Amino acid sequence: NIMFADWSNRGINLWTVDQVVLDLTSGTASYSLNAYDLDVLEAVVRVYDSTNSSSYTDVSVSRVSRAEYLNTPDKTTTGRPSQFYVDRKETPVLYVYPTPDNVTTYKFVSYRMQRIDDITASNQDQEVPMNLNTLNFFLLKFLIQKHFLNLDLR
């Protein structure tokens, strides 16, 4: 579990990136994300045609910083969302601006970096790609460092 936490802290592990689709609700500006979502990497707003529910257009949205979102004067403005801010708490919160209107249906389609699950039982599979043969190496290296052996494993 320490090794997985170390890998998460080193940057984006491609096997932890998933596409997630979130329905946006008219008049709602904030949405709680899953606790295992660490960050939103890329996103679009999917705008559905009001006359044909199977027809849609993906429109890019800009990520804004906490300060930029804070300085938005009227967060109750409605329209098609064009900006988003992620408050990276223990359970992250997504804020969209403008607040979705009721003219059409919107979905927030994003790629999210997700936390690597801990191994809590001996019969649980590790959450790493099958071709990642370095797991044993890192485990061995960790055990050696923990027991203060001074071996160079490069």
Side-chain angles (χ1 to χ4, degrees):
N1 293 340
I2 293 171
M3 180 176 52
F4 292 154
D6 181 53
W7 284 356
S8 291
N9 290 331
R10 291 178 188 248
I12 299 170
N13 298 299
L14 295 179
W15 68 88
T16 64
V17 176
D18 283 327
Q19 186 182 64
V20 180
V21 179
L22 174 68
D23 292 329
L24 298 181
T25 306
S26 173
T28 304
S30 65
Y31 301 86
S32 291
L33 303 180
N34 294 315
Y36 56 83
D37 289 333
L38 296 175
D39 202 0
V40 174
L41 303 175
E42 300 163 350
V44 296
V45 168
R46 184 162 288 165
V47 182
Y48 284 84
D49 186 338
S50 58
T51 60
N52 181 358
S53 63
S54 63
S55 177
Y56 61 84
T57 304
D58 287 343
V59 180
S60 65
V61 288
S62 302
R63 182 184 189 121
V64 295
S65 69
R66 179 188 328 240
E68 289 170 312
Y69 185 76
L70 179 65
N71 289 314
T72 302
D74 185 5
K75 294 176 183 66
T76 62
T77 301
T78 61
R80 184 192 79 219
S82 60
Q83 298 178 331
F84 72 95
Y85 160 64
V86 179
D87 190 359
R88 294 175 56 187
K89 303 178 188 181
E90 189 169 329
T91 300
V93 178
L94 169 75
Y95 296 92
V96 294
Y97 177 81
T99 302
D101 57 28
N102 61 1
V103 173
T104 189
T105 302
Y106 302 106
K107 294 186 184 232
F108 189 81
V109 182
S110 63
Y111 284 99
R112 298 186 193 165
M113 183 171 61
Q114 299 177 330
R115 182 172 314 169
I116 299 173
D117 283 339
D118 289 341
I119 297 176
T120 56
S122 61
N123 62 348
Q124 186 178 1
D125 291 334
Q126 64 229 16
E127 189 178 42
V128 295
M130 292 305 293
N131 63 353
L132 190 61
N133 295 324
T134 58
L135 181 63
N136 291 333
F137 171 78
F138 281 105
L139 185 57
L140 176 65
K141 183 177 174 185
F142 171 75
L143 290 172
I144 289 172
Q145 289 173 345
K146 183 176 178 180
H147 294 290
F148 303 108
L149 295 176
N150 197 10
L151 297 176
D152 186 8
L153 296 177
R154 287 184 240 155

mmCIF file of all heavy atoms in Angstrom, residues 24-28 45-53 55 77-81 98-107:
data_model
loop_
_atom_site.group_PDB
_atom_site.id
_atom_site.type_symbol
_atom_site.label_atom_id
_atom_site.label_comp_id
_atom_site.label_asym_id
_atom_site.label_seq_id
_atom_site.Cartn_x
_atom_site.Cartn_y
_atom_site.Cartn_z
ATOM 1 N N LEU A 24 -25.531 16.896 -15.928
ATOM 2 C CA LEU A 24 -25.637 18.215 -15.313
ATOM 3 C C LEU A 24 -27.113 18.562 -15.165
ATOM 4 O O LEU A 24 -27.914 18.320 -16.070
ATOM 5 C CB LEU A 24 -24.922 19.263 -16.159
ATOM 6 C CG LEU A 24 -23.415 19.059 -16.340
ATOM 7 C CD1 LEU A 24 -22.816 20.179 -17.188
ATOM 8 C CD2 LEU A 24 -22.715 18.973 -14.996
ATOM 9 N N THR A 25 -27.458 19.135 -14.017
ATOM 10 C CA THR A 25 -28.840 19.453 -13.689
ATOM 11 C C THR A 25 -29.061 20.955 -13.800
ATOM 12 O O THR A 25 -28.239 21.742 -13.319
ATOM 13 C CB THR A 25 -29.157 18.989 -12.248
ATOM 14 O OG1 THR A 25 -28.818 17.604 -12.134
ATOM 15 C CG2 THR A 25 -30.620 19.179 -11.916
ATOM 16 N N SER A 26 -30.173 21.321 -14.407
ATOM 17 C CA SER A 26 -30.515 22.732 -14.554
ATOM 18 C C SER A 26 -30.534 23.416 -13.188
ATOM 19 O O SER A 26 -31.146 22.916 -12.245
ATOM 20 C CB SER A 26 -31.884 22.848 -15.223
ATOM 21 O OG SER A 26 -32.313 24.184 -15.245
ATOM 22 N N GLY A 27 -29.828 24.550 -13.085
ATOM 23 C CA GLY A 27 -29.809 25.320 -11.848
ATOM 24 C C GLY A 27 -28.833 24.839 -10.789
ATOM 25 O O GLY A 27 -28.755 25.410 -9.715
ATOM 26 N N THR A 28 -28.062 23.775 -11.081
ATOM 27 C CA THR A 28 -27.103 23.240 -10.111
ATOM 28 C C THR A 28 -25.679 23.523 -10.584
ATOM 29 O O THR A 28 -25.294 23.093 -11.666
ATOM 30 C CB THR A 28 -27.305 21.721 -9.917
ATOM 31 O OG1 THR A 28 -28.656 21.480 -9.538
ATOM 32 C CG2 THR A 28 -26.361 21.175 -8.869
ATOM 33 N N VAL A 45 -18.206 19.606 -22.389
ATOM 34 C CA VAL A 45 -19.629 19.568 -22.077
ATOM 35 C C VAL A 45 -20.329 19.032 -23.313
ATOM 36 O O VAL A 45 -20.145 19.555 -24.418
ATOM 37 C CB VAL A 45 -20.175 20.957 -21.686
ATOM 38 C CG1 VAL A 45 -21.696 20.959 -21.659
ATOM 39 C CG2 VAL A 45 -19.639 21.372 -20.331
ATOM 40 N N ARG A 46 -21.070 17.965 -23.120
ATOM 41 C CA ARG A 46 -21.833 17.357 -24.218
ATOM 42 C C ARG A 46 -23.198 18.033 -24.237
ATOM 43 O O ARG A 46 -23.957 17.967 -23.272
ATOM 44 C CB ARG A 46 -21.953 15.855 -23.997
ATOM 45 C CG ARG A 46 -22.630 15.124 -25.121
ATOM 46 C CD ARG A 46 -22.331 13.645 -25.065
ATOM 47 N NE ARG A 46 -20.934 13.438 -25.463
ATOM 48 C CZ ARG A 46 -20.258 12.311 -25.259
ATOM 49 N NH1 ARG A 46 -20.842 11.286 -24.643
ATOM 50 N NH2 ARG A 46 -19.008 12.201 -25.654
ATOM 51 N N VAL A 47 -23.472 18.714 -25.361
ATOM 52 C CA VAL A 47 -24.716 19.464 -25.520
ATOM 53 C C VAL A 47 -25.628 18.663 -26.444
ATOM 54 O O VAL A 47 -25.283 18.412 -27.598
ATOM 55 C CB VAL A 47 -24.450 20.859 -26.123
ATOM 56 C CG1 VAL A 47 -25.747 21.653 -26.239
ATOM 57 C CG2 VAL A 47 -23.415 21.618 -25.302
ATOM 58 N N TYR A 48 -26.793 18.260 -25.928
ATOM 59 C CA TYR A 48 -27.739 17.461 -26.700
ATOM 60 C C TYR A 48 -28.705 18.364 -27.462
ATOM 61 O O TYR A 48 -29.127 19.403 -26.949
ATOM 62 C CB TYR A 48 -28.514 16.505 -25.792
ATOM 63 C CG TYR A 48 -27.666 15.329 -25.378
ATOM 64 C CD1 TYR A 48 -26.799 15.421 -24.312
ATOM 65 C CD2 TYR A 48 -27.710 14.141 -26.103
ATOM 66 C CE1 TYR A 48 -25.997 14.353 -23.943
ATOM 67 C CE2 TYR A 48 -26.910 13.067 -25.747
ATOM 68 C CZ TYR A 48 -26.064 13.182 -24.668
ATOM 69 O OH TYR A 48 -25.258 12.125 -24.316
ATOM 70 N N ASP A 49 -29.034 17.958 -28.664
ATOM 71 C CA ASP A 49 -29.998 18.669 -29.494
ATOM 72 C C ASP A 49 -31.368 18.559 -28.822
ATOM 73 O O ASP A 49 -31.807 17.462 -28.470
ATOM 74 C CB ASP A 49 -30.025 18.040 -30.885
ATOM 75 C CG ASP A 49 -30.893 18.798 -31.868
ATOM 76 O OD1 ASP A 49 -31.791 19.544 -31.433
ATOM 77 O OD2 ASP A 49 -30.672 18.639 -33.081
ATOM 78 N N SER A 50 -32.041 19.681 -28.633
ATOM 79 C CA SER A 50 -33.329 19.668 -27.932
ATOM 80 C C SER A 50 -34.430 18.979 -28.729
ATOM 81 O O SER A 50 -35.444 18.579 -28.164
ATOM 82 C CB SER A 50 -33.753 21.097 -27.575
ATOM 83 O OG SER A 50 -33.844 21.869 -28.752
ATOM 84 N N THR A 51 -34.238 18.801 -30.039
ATOM 85 C CA THR A 51 -35.258 18.141 -30.852
ATOM 86 C C THR A 51 -34.940 16.679 -31.128
ATOM 87 O O THR A 51 -35.804 15.918 -31.522
ATOM 88 C CB THR A 51 -35.432 18.871 -32.203
ATOM 89 O OG1 THR A 51 -34.182 18.853 -32.899
ATOM 90 C CG2 THR A 51 -35.898 20.301 -31.984
ATOM 91 N N ASN A 52 -33.659 16.277 -30.916
ATOM 92 C CA ASN A 52 -33.254 14.898 -31.198
ATOM 93 C C ASN A 52 -32.306 14.453 -30.087
ATOM 94 O O ASN A 52 -31.145 14.857 -30.061
ATOM 95 C CB ASN A 52 -32.573 14.827 -32.567
ATOM 96 C CG ASN A 52 -32.139 13.429 -32.943
ATOM 97 O OD1 ASN A 52 -32.305 12.480 -32.172
ATOM 98 N ND2 ASN A 52 -31.580 13.301 -34.133
ATOM 99 N N SER A 53 -32.784 13.603 -29.179
ATOM 100 C CA SER A 53 -32.007 13.242 -27.985
ATOM 101 C C SER A 53 -30.779 12.387 -28.291
ATOM 102 O O SER A 53 -29.927 12.216 -27.427
ATOM 103 C CB SER A 53 -32.898 12.524 -26.977
ATOM 104 O OG SER A 53 -33.372 11.314 -27.539
ATOM 105 N N SER A 55 -28.696 13.125 -30.801
ATOM 106 C CA SER A 55 -27.742 14.003 -31.479
ATOM 107 C C SER A 55 -27.120 14.961 -30.453
ATOM 108 O O SER A 55 -27.827 15.589 -29.670
ATOM 109 C CB SER A 55 -28.463 14.798 -32.573
ATOM 110 O OG SER A 55 -27.579 15.686 -33.191
ATOM 111 N N THR A 77 -25.500 32.939 -12.763
ATOM 112 C CA THR A 77 -25.774 33.113 -14.187
ATOM 113 C C THR A 77 -26.015 31.753 -14.819
ATOM 114 O O THR A 77 -25.290 30.790 -14.532
ATOM 115 C CB THR A 77 -24.574 33.797 -14.880
ATOM 116 O OG1 THR A 77 -24.350 35.062 -14.265
ATOM 117 C CG2 THR A 77 -24.810 33.971 -16.367
ATOM 118 N N THR A 78 -27.036 31.655 -15.669
ATOM 119 C CA THR A 78 -27.337 30.376 -16.314
ATOM 120 C C THR A 78 -26.964 30.418 -17.791
ATOM 121 O O THR A 78 -26.899 31.481 -18.402
ATOM 122 C CB THR A 78 -28.831 30.010 -16.170
ATOM 123 O OG1 THR A 78 -29.610 31.017 -16.797
ATOM 124 C CG2 THR A 78 -29.224 29.838 -14.719
ATOM 125 N N GLY A 79 -26.731 29.244 -18.348
ATOM 126 C CA GLY A 79 -26.357 29.114 -19.755
ATOM 127 C C GLY A 79 -25.640 27.791 -19.964
ATOM 128 O O GLY A 79 -25.674 26.903 -19.105
ATOM 129 N N ARG A 80 -24.978 27.658 -21.095
ATOM 130 C CA ARG A 80 -24.191 26.452 -21.350
ATOM 131 C C ARG A 80 -22.868 26.578 -20.593
ATOM 132 O O ARG A 80 -22.148 27.560 -20.762
ATOM 133 C CB ARG A 80 -23.905 26.298 -22.847
ATOM 134 C CG ARG A 80 -23.163 24.999 -23.150
ATOM 135 C CD ARG A 80 -22.618 24.962 -24.557
ATOM 136 N NE ARG A 80 -21.389 25.747 -24.573
ATOM 137 C CZ ARG A 80 -21.022 26.545 -25.556
ATOM 138 N NH1 ARG A 80 -21.769 26.701 -26.611
ATOM 139 N NH2 ARG A 80 -19.883 27.197 -25.483
ATOM 140 N N PRO A 81 -22.528 25.624 -19.732
ATOM 141 C CA PRO A 81 -21.270 25.709 -18.981
ATOM 142 C C PRO A 81 -20.063 25.810 -19.917
ATOM 143 O O PRO A 81 -19.971 25.083 -20.911
ATOM 144 C CB PRO A 81 -21.238 24.412 -18.178
ATOM 145 C CG PRO A 81 -22.672 24.015 -18.052
ATOM 146 C CD PRO A 81 -23.308 24.445 -19.340
ATOM 147 N N PRO A 98 -21.136 28.944 -16.669
ATOM 148 C CA PRO A 98 -22.357 29.295 -15.958
ATOM 149 C C PRO A 98 -23.112 28.055 -15.490
ATOM 150 O O PRO A 98 -22.883 26.955 -15.982
ATOM 151 C CB PRO A 98 -23.183 30.053 -16.999
ATOM 152 C CG PRO A 98 -22.322 30.271 -18.186
ATOM 153 C CD PRO A 98 -21.165 29.361 -18.068
ATOM 154 N N THR A 99 -24.033 28.265 -14.573
ATOM 155 C CA THR A 99 -24.891 27.180 -14.085
ATOM 156 C C THR A 99 -25.740 26.694 -15.255
ATOM 157 O O THR A 99 -26.254 27.505 -16.020
ATOM 158 C CB THR A 99 -25.791 27.710 -12.950
ATOM 159 O OG1 THR A 99 -24.954 28.217 -11.916
ATOM 160 C CG2 THR A 99 -26.690 26.630 -12.400
ATOM 161 N N PRO A 100 -25.872 25.363 -15.427
ATOM 162 C CA PRO A 100 -26.650 24.849 -16.567
ATOM 163 C C PRO A 100 -28.078 25.405 -16.594
ATOM 164 O O PRO A 100 -28.737 25.494 -15.568
ATOM 165 C CB PRO A 100 -26.667 23.335 -16.343
ATOM 166 C CG PRO A 100 -25.469 23.069 -15.499
ATOM 167 C CD PRO A 100 -25.303 24.275 -14.630
ATOM 168 N N ASP A 101 -28.517 25.773 -17.799
ATOM 169 C CA ASP A 101 -29.896 26.256 -17.965
ATOM 170 C C ASP A 101 -30.808 25.078 -18.309
ATOM 171 O O ASP A 101 -30.360 23.935 -18.366
ATOM 172 C CB ASP A 101 -29.965 27.346 -19.039
ATOM 173 C CG ASP A 101 -29.425 26.877 -20.390
ATOM 174 O OD1 ASP A 101 -29.495 25.662 -20.689
ATOM 175 O OD2 ASP A 101 -28.938 27.725 -21.157
ATOM 176 N N ASN A 102 -32.088 25.369 -18.529
ATOM 177 C CA ASN A 102 -33.039 24.300 -18.849
ATOM 178 C C ASN A 102 -33.410 24.267 -20.325
ATOM 179 O O ASN A 102 -34.423 23.687 -20.694
ATOM 180 C CB ASN A 102 -34.291 24.410 -17.970
ATOM 181 C CG ASN A 102 -35.014 25.730 -18.183
ATOM 182 O OD1 ASN A 102 -34.601 26.557 -18.985
ATOM 183 N ND2 ASN A 102 -36.099 25.932 -17.449
ATOM 184 N N VAL A 103 -32.598 24.875 -21.182
ATOM 185 C CA VAL A 103 -32.874 24.930 -22.610
ATOM 186 C C VAL A 103 -32.642 23.571 -23.269
ATOM 187 O O VAL A 103 -33.392 23.147 -24.136
ATOM 188 C CB VAL A 103 -32.012 26.020 -23.297
ATOM 189 C CG1 VAL A 103 -32.165 25.987 -24.797
ATOM 190 C CG2 VAL A 103 -32.366 27.387 -22.733
ATOM 191 N N THR A 104 -31.610 22.861 -22.822
ATOM 192 C CA THR A 104 -31.270 21.559 -23.394
ATOM 193 C C THR A 104 -30.624 20.685 -22.331
ATOM 194 O O THR A 104 -30.466 21.103 -21.185
ATOM 195 C CB THR A 104 -30.341 21.731 -24.623
ATOM 196 O OG1 THR A 104 -30.193 20.480 -25.272
ATOM 197 C CG2 THR A 104 -28.988 22.284 -24.224
ATOM 198 N N THR A 105 -30.208 19.492 -22.705
ATOM 199 C CA THR A 105 -29.568 18.559 -21.777
ATOM 200 C C THR A 105 -28.055 18.683 -21.906
ATOM 201 O O THR A 105 -27.525 18.715 -23.018
ATOM 202 C CB THR A 105 -29.998 17.109 -22.098
ATOM 203 O OG1 THR A 105 -31.421 17.038 -22.003
ATOM 204 C CG2 THR A 105 -29.365 16.120 -21.152
ATOM 205 N N TYR A 106 -27.360 18.740 -20.768
ATOM 206 C CA TYR A 106 -25.902 18.829 -20.735
ATOM 207 C C TYR A 106 -25.325 17.660 -19.948
ATOM 208 O O TYR A 106 -25.895 17.241 -18.942
ATOM 209 C CB TYR A 106 -25.435 20.126 -20.064
ATOM 210 C CG TYR A 106 -25.934 21.393 -20.695
ATOM 211 C CD1 TYR A 106 -26.927 22.148 -20.082
ATOM 212 C CD2 TYR A 106 -25.398 21.844 -21.895
ATOM 213 C CE1 TYR A 106 -27.380 23.322 -20.649
ATOM 214 C CE2 TYR A 106 -25.843 23.028 -22.466
ATOM 215 C CZ TYR A 106 -26.838 23.763 -21.841
ATOM 216 O OH TYR A 106 -27.279 24.926 -22.406
ATOM 217 N N LYS A 107 -24.181 17.190 -20.409
ATOM 218 C CA LYS A 107 -23.420 16.186 -19.652
ATOM 219 C C LYS A 107 -21.976 16.655 -19.593
ATOM 220 O O LYS A 107 -21.457 17.206 -20.555
ATOM 221 C CB LYS A 107 -23.504 14.810 -20.308
ATOM 222 C CG LYS A 107 -24.907 14.239 -20.276
ATOM 223 C CD LYS A 107 -24.955 12.834 -20.790
ATOM 224 C CE LYS A 107 -26.393 12.365 -20.818
ATOM 225 N NZ LYS A 107 -26.623 11.133 -20.160
#
